[in-house]
Amino acid sequence: MTNMTNSEGHAISVTPRRIREEGSTAAVTHYVETRWPAIGGKNLAPLPAVAFLDIEFSEAYQAGHVAYVYVAGSGDTLKAPDQPTGLHGLARRFALPLFKISATASENALARIEDINLERYAGMYEAEAGLACDPGYDNWRLVLIHPSRKPMPGAPVEARPRVIRVVLPRGLSLIAFEKELHERLSPAALGRWISSPAGRRHCADLDLDPREAMRLTGYNTGEGDRISRADELYIFKPRLDGGRLLTIVERIVHDFVVRDAALDRPNWGWVAVNQGYRRRA
């Protein structure tokens, strides 16, 4: 329900226009005014066509570890379409296309999916009365990425249906690659956007509490537990944004190699605020 104002200045409720047929399992079934952000930001653009064939890259690049970028969703929507659970249920409530995007070194990304199922990744949030848990976050699955183009000639990147395989340049660790990936995806990060003025307006229009979309994960570490933000959730449309994800991966590899060749290796360390560490003033 969207709140609007009539000619006399009184608040009225307007039912959003349906854009999917009745019974659709899509996350966004009604038109909403919100223009959500895109991964990579407004200025993301592919590299020049010969970027990976140019001598500046080809002579400097040396193969290192292999990483697999994946997109995942969760929930039992097909089993209970009227009561969608997991991330898909959250996406339905907030009228946003939501997915988990990250990277793994596992040659079978399903092994990583098994891990996040055990952890019930993003299954918690801070409710009015304290921590709350939602069902469906133990049912994660890989999602088809649908890149709109092939990788650029010479790029050590392969676009597969459910993963983007990338041979990292020597010297770029999987952890550093993953952190840089999330930094470039961050304009569309759910937690960041939902707490912005635009995100809060979106929640107000739908009469929702933004805190429900600020997801958390509980990690059991033996005799203790740790609660961390689930920072790998993004506003993402696989059929439209797959090409943007491919561009981000290509740019990370190219930037690292070319800057290193120029003796200007980027400092891709990070302050792990999510783990409780904060930069000192």
Side-chain angles (χ1 to χ4, degrees), residues 10 31 48 56 68 84 90 93 97 109 114 118 128 133 139 166 177 189 193 206 213 218 238 249:
H10 298 141
Y31 175 79
E56 185 181 27
Y68 301 86
L90 186 73
R93 291 194 296 280
E114 291 176 0
L118 287 173
E128 190 70 34
C133 297
N139 187 31
V166 52
F177 169 76
W193 182 79
L206 298 175
V249 172

Side-chain angles (χ1 to χ4, degrees), residues 196-234:
S196 71
R200 291 187 176 278
R201 285 194 300 270
H202 178 82
C203 293
D205 287 343
L206 298 175
D207 194 26
L208 293 170
D209 186 342
R211 291 180 301 179
E212 186 184 350
M214 299 176 186
R215 308 304 297 185
L216 304 168
T217 305
Y219 297 93
N220 179 267
T221 54
E223 297 301 324
D225 294 290
R226 188 189 84 220
I227 305 296
S228 296
R229 292 198 314 265
D231 288 334
E232 298 175 356
L233 304 181
Y234 297 94

Side-chain angles (χ1 to χ4, degrees), residues 47-64:
L47 291 160
V50 296
F52 292 97
L53 301 176
D54 189 272
I55 192 171
E56 185 181 27
F57 178 88
S58 61
E59 290 195 350
Y61 172 80
Q62 296 183 41

Side-chain angles (χ1 to χ4, degrees), residues 25-30 32 36 72-75 77 84-100 134 137 140-141 190 193-194 202 206 208 212-213 215 233-237:
T25 59
V28 182
T29 58
H30 292 76
V32 292
W36 51 70
S74 71
T77 308
T85 60
L87 187 62
H88 190 84
L90 186 73
R92 176 67 70 87
R93 291 194 296 280
F94 280 81
L96 295 169
L98 301 177
F99 293 92
K100 180 185 190 295
D134 283 338
Y137 288 90
W140 288 92
R141 62 193 179 281
L190 174 61
W193 182 79
I194 209 73
H202 178 82
L206 298 175
L208 293 170
E212 186 184 350
R215 308 304 297 185
L233 304 181
Y234 297 94
I235 302 168
F236 180 78
K237 302 188 74 172

